[in-house]
């Protein structure tokens, strides 16, 4: 009898413009708590639900590689950056199911993303193809609030416990643009990369 457990593969997508310590903490917590064999980090193409023009794909890919290089079992997968047009998570999940038959997929998302998950393309299919793993996310002002479960597509869930880390890429871009210090908010190699490439120029 084959008692081999299915491979557990975490999927963690984001614009990562830039990646910050909240992302890295979430990735580490997901690998440990969900007992992942692998965490695949996907810098997204131009996400359909984000109106802002993102930094060039090559920079976001390079920063993600720097940010997640110390996270055990994490690897950066750049496939969504090569897709023409908008990024849809359901397409990536379908591809991964074909590539890793028999694996179990866990979609790791922060609470803010979880709240809009019902509006993602084919959200019911996403919840069928992956276990949804939600981590609390601190809002800039209010304390972290639990996600309203009635708004989530039905399907298996495994939460990730994460102390609220009140940092966002928006805030980092704002600080960098005002020539203020960002070194406490991003991994050191990412701070150097932003500086060397003048990624978020001062206004
Ligand atoms: P922006 O401020 O540009 O919207 P962001 O900081 O939300 O960016 P994303 O790249 O959009 O970063 O986030 C990728 C994923 O990481 C999402 O699932 C998001 O919920 C989660 N995430 C981002 N920041 C945190 C944080 N501080 N704590 C927990 N989860 C987070």
């Amino acid at each position: 009898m084959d008692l081999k457990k299915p491979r557990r593969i975490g999927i963690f997508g984001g614009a990562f413009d830039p990646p910050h310590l909240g992302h890295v903490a979430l990735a580490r917590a997901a690998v440990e708590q969900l007992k992942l064999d692998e965490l695949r980090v996907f810098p997204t193409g131009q996400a359909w639900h984000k109106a802002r023009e993102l930094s060039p794909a090559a920079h976001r890919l390079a920063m993600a590689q720097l940010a997640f290089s110390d996270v055990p079992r994490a690897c950066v997968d750049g496939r969504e950056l090569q897709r023409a047009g908008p990024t849809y998570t359901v397409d990536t999940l379908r591809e991964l199911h074909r590539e890793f038959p028999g694996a179990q997929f866990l979609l790791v998302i922060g609470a803010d993303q979880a709240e809009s998950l019902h509006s993602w393309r084919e959200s019911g299919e996403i919840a069928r193809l992956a276990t949804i793993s939600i981590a609390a996310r601190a809002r800039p002002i209010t304390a972290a609030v639990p996600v309203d479960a009635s708004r989530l597509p039905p399907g298996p869930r495994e939460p990730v416990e994460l102390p609220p880390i009140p940092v966002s890429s928006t805030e980092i871009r704002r600080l960098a643009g005002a020539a203020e210090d960002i070194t406490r908010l991003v991994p050191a190699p990412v701070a150097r990369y932003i500086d060397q490439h003048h990624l978020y120029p001062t206004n």
Side-chain angles (χ1 to χ4, degrees):
M1 192 167 47
D2 185 12
L3 294 176
K4 221 169 140 226
K5 286 203 205 128
R7 192 168 172 75
R8 283 166 69 85
I9 305 180
I11 311 287
F12 181 36
F16 303 125
D17 192 15
H20 54 63
L21 294 180
H23 295 133
V24 177
L26 175 48
R28 279 185 192 282
V31 170
E32 279 171 27
Q33 293 172 31
L34 301 173
K35 309 225 176 320
L36 300 178
D37 295 297
E38 186 182 328
L39 177 72
R40 292 200 159 225
V41 178
F42 292 88
T44 50
Q46 186 66 48
W48 58 273
H49 58 284
K50 288 216 174 182
R52 186 180 65 81
E53 190 65 35
L54 299 174
S55 297
H59 285 318
R60 293 185 295 109
L61 179 64
M63 288 192 288
Q65 280 160 343
L66 292 171
F68 295 103
S69 64
D70 287 344
V71 178
R73 301 180 182 211
C75 65
V76 176
D77 184 326
R79 75 180 70 197
E80 293 191 351
L81 297 171
Q82 276 139 31
R83 253 181 231 151
T87 296
Y88 294 109
T89 301
V90 71
D91 297 334
T92 303
L93 273 171
R94 284 196 178 112
E95 272 180 32
L96 291 170
H97 268 272
R98 283 195 293 274
E99 277 168 45
F100 301 94
Q104 181 187 359
F105 292 94
L106 297 96
L107 182 71
V108 177
I109 49 177
D112 59 318
Q113 297 263 291
E115 267 157 25
S116 61
L117 185 60
H118 64 278
S119 66
W120 292 16
R121 173 183 265 205
E122 297 188 57
S123 62
E125 183 68 357
I126 292 175
R128 205 184 61 72
L129 294 171
T131 297
I132 309 295
S133 291
I134 303 171
R137 175 161 190 188
R139 304 292 193 282
I141 304 165
T142 55
V145 282
V147 178
D148 178 357
S150 68
R151 290 172 71 84
L152 291 172
R157 279 179 228 142
E158 293 186 35
V160 180
E161 303 291 335
L162 187 72
I165 305 167
V167 47
S168 71
S169 303
T170 304
E171 176 67 357
I172 294 162
R173 291 192 300 273
R174 188 191 69 74
L175 289 171
E180 289 188 39
D181 183 30
I182 57 164
T183 51
R184 285 168 302 103
L185 305 175
V186 297
V190 172
R192 279 195 295 276
Y193 189 97
I194 291 172
D195 190 41
Q196 279 161 5
H197 295 270
H198 311 289
L199 278 195
Y200 307 110
T202 39
N203 311 307

